[in-house]
Amino acid sequence: MKTLKKTAFIILTVFLASCGDGLFFDMDRVNRDPVVSEPIARSFIDEYKIYLTWDEDEAADEYVLYRAEDTAFSTYSIVYQGTDTAFTDSDCGDEKRYLYTLGKIKGQQLFGPSEPVLGVGSSVCRDEHEENDCKNLAVPLLGGLTANIFYYQDSQGNSIEDIDWYSITIPPHMRANILIVQTSFIGDPSQNSPMVFYLEGSDPYPIVSDATNPVENLSNEEKTYLFRVSPDPSEFVSNPDLSGGALIDYTMTLHSMNNL
């Protein structure tokens, strides 16, 4: 009897070892429900397109992506259903805001959909200096450049924005004067600037198109400074309780360098 039990134990051990992690993984999948999670929407990469991606969920049999125009009475419809974890929405209008939610199917049951995320269709793409949305990817200012930024918010309170980081290297005891000129406008060009200048370590302030933004190196050695241009949400959307937004263009030049 002991020999029989020992033989059975060995057979079971060999069987489990031959299955490896796969058996336990499959059992775990059967016992788990899909996790409801939001997709990621990326706008302004290509004209009239929004790119959607989401994480793979091994507990899901299929994914269902829903889309609605961002209006007072948003109505969702299915734009994708399948096993892929990415979808390109190529049916986007210019300056149109869209809401996307993600559902997951397991067997006959739908989990979700998720909370909505915002995407914007546009005939205008991000500038060539992207992705400089964080200071680790700051673009060096060597002479002059052309760029754009945007801010949009939807009726659900979600927002997307573009923040542009730059760096400038300044010799000791010198001041760099940076000129930033808005070249496309929201409403009346004479009103407040929709852009904000922030030098790392200093207070942010509104950008004025006919005034330079000084960056001073008071040290005895050459130093590199980080700064950013960002949208002022209150200027891009007049009422914080409403949806809206815009994309604007600007130029940036190293206007002059002065001794201190």
Side-chain angles (χ1 to χ4, degrees):
M1 181 65 67
K2 288 184 179 180
T3 303
L4 181 61
K5 289 182 178 180
K6 184 176 181 181
T7 302
F9 175 77
I10 293 173
I11 293 174
L12 178 61
T13 302
V14 171
F15 171 74
L16 292 176
S18 65
C19 292
D21 294 334
L23 174 63
F24 296 104
F25 183 81
D26 290 341
M27 292 174 60
D28 180 59
R29 180 189 183 282
V30 170
N31 294 326
R32 281 193 304 116
D33 289 335
V35 177
V36 178
S37 58
E38 301 170 1
I40 296 172
R42 302 184 69 214
S43 309
F44 304 104
I45 297 174
D46 290 313
E47 295 179 359
Y48 306 110
K49 292 182 180 180
I50 299 173
Y51 292 88
L52 288 302
T53 58
W54 51 90
D55 292 334
E56 183 178 5
D57 190 332
E58 295 291 349
D61 296 324
E62 282 189 312
Y63 307 100
V64 186
L65 184 69
Y66 303 86
R67 185 187 83 164
E69 286 196 31
D70 178 37
T71 62
F73 304 99
S74 300
T75 302
Y76 286 90
S77 60
I78 296 175
V79 290
Y80 172 77
Q81 181 172 344
T83 58
D84 291 340
T85 57
F87 173 76
T88 300
D89 192 349
S90 303
D91 185 24
C92 301
D94 192 19
E95 290 295 302
K96 287 280 191 178
R97 298 183 307 278
Y98 299 95
L99 302 176
Y100 298 91
T101 64
L102 182 67
K104 299 177 182 180
I105 295 175
K106 181 179 181 181
Q108 301 299 315
Q109 185 175 354
L110 174 67
F111 294 82
S114 67
E115 291 296 314
V117 298
L118 174 62
V120 179
S122 177
S123 61
V124 180
C125 300
R126 295 184 178 192
D127 62 66
E128 62 181 311
H129 310 294
E130 296 294 342
E131 305 275 345
N132 61 333
D133 292 345
C134 61
K135 59 186 179 182
N136 292 335
L137 298 174
V139 173
L141 177 61
L142 304 175
L145 55 84
T146 300
N148 57 42
I149 58 172
F150 57 82
Y151 179 89
Y152 289 86
Q153 69 180 38
D154 62 30
S155 55
Q156 308 295 312
N158 303 305
S159 64
I160 57 173
E161 67 177 339
D162 179 30
I163 296 175
D164 293 342
W165 277 96
Y166 300 97
S167 66
I168 186 168
T169 301
I170 305 174
H173 302 290
M174 295 199 76
R175 176 194 298 116
N177 300 299
I178 301 169
L179 183 64
I180 302 170
V181 178
Q182 183 181 344
T183 56
S184 63
F185 300 91
I186 307 170
D188 187 349
S190 65
Q191 298 302 310
N192 294 336
S193 168
M195 296 187 293
V196 175
F197 183 89
Y198 169 70
L199 174 64
E200 189 174 40
S202 303
D203 294 327
Y205 60 84
I207 293 171
V208 179
S209 284
D210 59 356
T212 58
N213 305 275
V215 180
E216 297 181 344
N217 181 5
L218 302 176
S219 72
N220 294 322
E221 59 184 8
E222 183 179 80
K223 292 186 65 176
T224 297
Y225 296 84
L226 295 171
F227 65 95
R228 76 177 182 220
V229 176
S230 59
D232 179 352
S234 65
E235 297 297 331
F236 279 73
V237 182
S238 58
N239 187 331
D241 296 325
L242 299 178
S243 56
L247 179 147
I248 64 171
D249 302 305
Y250 66 91
T251 61
M252 179 185 298
T253 57
L254 176 55
H255 181 266
S256 59
M257 194 88 75
N258 307 120
N259 292 314
L260 294 175

